[in-house]
DNA sequence: GACAAACTATATCGAACGATAGAGAATGGT
DNA sequence: ACCATTCTCTATCGTTCGATATAGTTTGTC
């Protein structure tokens, strides 16, 4: 039969009656998820084959339907996985409080730098996002409501607050959101292209730091430096 | 047999001996190319099926192998087609002279505005680019050498010239290239996501103009305004 | 240490994929 | 007006897709 653990998060204690054990299963699930992240990011949902994912994970294709209900459910698990990794990478910086009204230019500058560093080391997330966002689908609806909207609201509130206080340029939140995400992620999303265009070494740590500094300058202006914010 | 016109550009005069006629064939080829642009943009090369392309073009699937050598060759024809449309959209503005040393801030500002307007009405181009750029392949190598490199060099020279003359912020050309392309295109590449996130009406003409103005401000700074350009 | 449950591995299903063969319909050249 | 050529359409090829059935293996619990 095909109706095993399915959608059980890894938080279930070893209840005696209903279920028994997971030792190797957890390893298989994790290997499948990480292989799926790589394959979905590289080839898109339709282009990634379950056999390629299973082979990369070092197991066999039917394991996907055993540990996950379907290719679709594996995709969802993979997306949740990369967003969890993003949150972990951003946790060191206080991204959560971004929407608060006392947001400052320097807080947003720190956030931008943190975002650039995070997406640079996690290109698969934005590759998957962009592969899905090019056409409407149930998967896009799911990812927008589950992962995108909250993050958009956070950034829009932060920018709106700074904008109302004339601490940043008078640019619409919607414009800033897509400009910032696009400007932050494309070099890493398109890393295979960048390697061909600029050479293997082009997208290194020095690039990431120059990129972070450059985006801060572009979005927040050159350091406020001497007292007066250049409003009005 | 399968060895018809294949890779004949539409520039061959009606030579009497070898070939005969193309009236409906040209219409079929064009319909296939435009359908292919849409399907490849939405689903990627591997995700787009030749049957879906043929159906959208109002014809049958084997026509693809008759008019083009393979799915791969159809993809190349589709990519050339969208880049030709981009060039047509940019032709009104003098993008070509961008690399010249006498480039000015205002010339680049005009170019940025033109690019934003062009990619807004041609989202398929950047969708295809980004779908291919997420993984290395022969197709990526082809597209980089054929279409990307020249455009990159043009922008890099323009920015470098302005940067040396201190007319723009001191940011690396490589950073600026990916930041500008990303910031210009993501809202249109991700239009299906933007509709879910912001509503159906969000990415309209007003957005495009606000976007163009916003990018000019971010990349070139607020208008030089009062007389003196700040370089010696 | 035995046994039932959980997990893994092999075999195979029907559907969809890109590509080809060849019959049929349309058309420019004479 | 005819005909050779070009283009279109139907049928079908071999392969690969996601999914399932089922046999085999491992392991926590008693």
């Amino acid at each position: 039969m095909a109706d095993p653990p399915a959608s059980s998060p890894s938080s279930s204690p070893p209840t005696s009656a209903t279920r028994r054990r997971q030792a190797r299963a957890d390893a298989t699930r994790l290997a499948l998820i990480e292989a799926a992240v790589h394959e979905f990011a590289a080839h898109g949902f339709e282009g990634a084959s379950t056999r390629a994912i299973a082979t990369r994970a070092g197991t066999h294709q039917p394991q996907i339907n055993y540990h996950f209900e379907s290719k679709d459910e594996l995709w969802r698990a993979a997306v949740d996985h990369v967003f969890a990794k993003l949150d972990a990478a951003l946790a060191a910086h206080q991204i959560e409080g971004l929407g608060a009204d006392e947001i400052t230019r320097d807080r947003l500058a720190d956030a931008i730098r943190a975002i650039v560093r995070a997406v640079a080391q996690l290109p698969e997330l934005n590759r998957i996002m962009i592969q899905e966002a090019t056409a409407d689908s149930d998967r896009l609806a799911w990812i927008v409501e589950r992962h995108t909207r909250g993050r958009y609201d956070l950034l829009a509130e932060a920018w709106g607050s700074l904008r109302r206080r004339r601490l940043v340029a008078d640019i619409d939140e919607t414009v800033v959101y897509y400009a910032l995400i696009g400007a932050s992620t494309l070099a890493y999303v398109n890393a295979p292209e960048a390697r061909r265009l600029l050479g293997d070494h082009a997208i290194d740590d020095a690039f990431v730091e120059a990129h972070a500094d450059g985006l801060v300058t572009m979005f927040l202006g050159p350091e406020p430096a001497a007292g007066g914010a250049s409003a009005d």
Side-chain angles (χ1 to χ4, degrees), chain A residues 122-141:
Chain A
L122 205 62
E124 293 87 358
L125 188 153
N126 292 97
R127 283 183 193 145
I128 292 175
M129 286 297 302
I130 221 164
Q131 301 257 22
E132 292 301 325
T134 55
D136 201 18
S137 68
D138 288 347
R139 292 191 305 278
L140 178 59

Side-chain angles (χ1 to χ4, degrees), chain A residues 137-149:
Chain A
S137 68
D138 288 347
R139 292 191 305 278
L140 178 59
W142 180 88
I143 208 170
V144 166
E145 298 309 326
R146 186 175 177 90
H147 292 294
T148 309
R149 190 176 299 284

Side-chain angles (χ1 to χ4, degrees), chain A residues 55 70 72 102 123 134 136-137 142 148-149 158 178 190-191 196 230:
Chain A
T55 299
S70 62
D72 227 85
E102 69 277 11
T134 55
D136 201 18
S137 68
W142 180 88
T148 309
R149 190 176 299 284
Y178 278 105
N190 281 15
R196 288 193 173 272
S230 64

